[in-house]
Amino acid sequence: GRLAEVLVSCRSLQHLSLYLNEVDDEGIQRLSKTLGYYQSLHTLDLGLNRVRDDGAGKLALTLKRCPTLTKLNLRYNNVGEVGKGILLEAAAVNPRLQLEL
């Protein structure tokens, strides 16, 4: 919770790596609330965490508010086929987005 609060003040953030930080679906929900604030975020690395389908769904809703995002890494998480499908559908609105599942 605290990280999401602090990140709101970093509006010019371009790259955010939370790789191997035990981020789970609840953490994704908190993070998703702040992602719309970043008008220059290009890379979000959430690899090797504990994100599941629910977290993937929350991220998918957020992708529409992040038009500058060009890379999203979710490799080595617990995202199933349902979550992957939701993310791929959401990523289709941003042809520049490289989605790593």
Side-chain angles (χ1 to χ4, degrees):
R2 178 86 176 113
L3 177 62
E5 294 169 15
V6 171
L7 288 175
V8 172
S9 64
C10 303
R11 293 184 187 262
S12 61
L13 188 68
Q14 294 182 7
H15 306 281
L16 177 59
S17 177
L18 296 173
Y19 188 89
L20 189 59
N21 270 278
E22 299 186 19
V23 178
D24 59 10
D25 290 346
E26 184 178 327
I28 292 296
Q29 182 175 359
R30 291 179 181 151
L31 182 63
S32 293
K33 291 177 183 177
T34 65
L35 287 177
Y37 291 105
Y38 309 117
Q39 299 304 313
S40 57
L41 184 64
H42 297 290
T43 305
L44 179 58
D45 188 349
L46 294 166
L48 203 60
N49 281 290
R50 297 183 304 172
V51 181
R52 302 176 67 88
D53 286 346
D54 189 46
K58 301 252 186 304
L59 275 174
L61 293 172
T62 303
L63 289 178
K64 297 172 185 175
R65 297 189 331 250
C66 300
T68 60
L69 195 64
T70 56
K71 184 175 182 182
L72 173 59
N73 177 19
L74 279 168
R75 289 184 296 171
Y76 310 113
N77 278 280
N78 297 316
V79 178
E81 294 304 313
V82 171
K84 288 177 182 178
I86 293 168
L87 282 167
L88 288 169
E89 186 177 309
V93 300
N94 181 354
R96 298 180 312 158
L97 179 61
Q98 178 185 355
L99 190 57
E100 297 179 0
L101 300 170

